[in-house]
Amino acid sequence: MNRLIRQKINGPRRLRELMNSKDLILAPGAYDALSARLIELTGFDVVYMTGFGTAASMLGYPDVGLITMHEMVDNAKRIVDAVNIPVIADADTGYGNPINVIRTVQEYERVGVAGIHIEDQVFPKKCGHITGKQVIPLEEMVEKVSAAKDAKLSKDFVLIARTDAIAVEGLDSALERAKEYYRAGADVIFVEAPESREQIEIISKELKGIPLLFNWAEGGRTPPVTLEVLRKLGYKIVIFPISTLLAATKAIKEVLEEINKDGTPINVMNRLYPFKDFLDFIGLPEVQELERKYITKSRT
């Protein structure tokens, strides 16, 4: 079926099915529609829309609360439209108080996102793996989670509550918050930035029975762990937020340095994705098929 006119999946329902049928869901980070399509092409079941990558690619700035809800939702819509697998999206702090959170949930849901995570940081928030974070009172975040739960248009929409309290108040506080957020209606809990293998294990033990998201933050505060360890500990979703962003940045920088040195791309052509293959990948044959079907020869 042509991708431009195919029947789109029900993202939230499909994500729920995956959560019920798979022991571990892997969701690499996409920062735009193209990176999302590459994630789908390479066989992953879920795309994660990274807030860090969205800020970097759209604004050229770090993830420090500069990007707006409208910009995030707009990027989420383009990513959802580009793929036919569920998309989990970063929704930062929910962009305000519980009333703002209600609108945030519904805006993301209307563009077809399967689930979002909201966090308990003070706004303007910061990337979970840089210093200087602050968190709001537990009770205030519980109100946000409760409002988000009530705002869902579909019972299948997945609400992920994230706590950044480890870096601010310690692991015990983060665990207390996690349990309260789950009681308030979160479907999945995301304890951000554990700083050791021991903390990763404690989180899984203390929150046993609660679906958990693990942030495999490339180069961040959390030590790298294998898939086997995460599966054994019972984590449900693993995101790799910036592998695509960092890989693309490195490749683009190296190619531009070569072009700047040589004056043309002649010496890097063997490192580029072949132009014809790229046209096929982004759907030119599909467009040409539709042109043959719907556009008369007199107009072409």
Side-chain angles (χ1 to χ4, degrees), residues 2 4 284-300:
N2 192 294
L4 291 174
L284 180 61
E286 298 167 4
V287 173
Q288 292 172 331
E289 175 191 338
L290 293 174
E291 287 175 339
R292 288 190 294 268
K293 182 174 182 179
Y294 295 114
I295 301 177
T296 64
K297 291 182 180 179
S298 63
R299 293 173 54 198
T300 59

Side-chain angles (χ1 to χ4, degrees), residues 216-237:
W216 210 105
E218 303 89 326
R221 290 176 168 271
T222 302
V225 292
T226 66
L227 188 64
E228 289 73 20
V229 167
L230 294 173
R231 179 176 282 117
K232 182 178 179 182
L233 293 175
Y235 284 87
K236 175 56 66 174
I237 301 170

Side-chain angles (χ1 to χ4, degrees), residues 191-264:
V191 180
E192 176 64 302
E195 298 177 348
S196 66
R197 169 75 176 267
E198 181 184 15
Q199 287 190 349
I200 296 169
E201 294 175 353
I202 290 171
I203 290 166
S204 70
K205 179 181 178 182
E206 293 297 320
L207 302 180
K208 187 175 181 179
I210 297 175
L212 299 176
L213 182 149
F214 182 84
N215 184 9
W216 210 105
E218 303 89 326
R221 290 176 168 271
T222 302
V225 292
T226 66
L227 188 64
E228 289 73 20
V229 167
L230 294 173
R231 179 176 282 117
K232 182 178 179 182
L233 293 175
Y235 284 87
K236 175 56 66 174
I237 301 170
V238 182
I239 59 173
F240 311 90
I242 55 174
S243 290
T244 57
L245 177 70
L246 297 181
T249 301
K250 183 176 187 292
I252 292 170
K253 179 175 179 291
E254 290 175 352
V255 163
L256 289 175
E257 287 171 345
E258 289 289 317
I259 296 173
N260 189 40
K261 182 183 72 173
D262 300 332
T264 75

Side-chain angles (χ1 to χ4, degrees), residues 107-127:
E107 290 295 318
Y108 274 94
E109 196 170 356
R110 285 189 185 104
V111 300
V113 168
I116 60 171
H117 67 73
I118 60 172
E119 65 205 49
D120 56 8
Q121 283 197 54
V122 170
F123 189 85
K125 57 76 53 90
K126 291 181 171 63
C127 165

Side-chain angles (χ1 to χ4, degrees), residues 118-120 161-166 173-174 177-178 181 190-192:
I118 60 172
E119 65 205 49
D120 56 8
R162 166 177 147 179
T163 178
D164 285 69
I166 287 179
S173 174
R177 285 172 174 265
Y181 301 166
F190 173 2
V191 180
E192 176 64 302

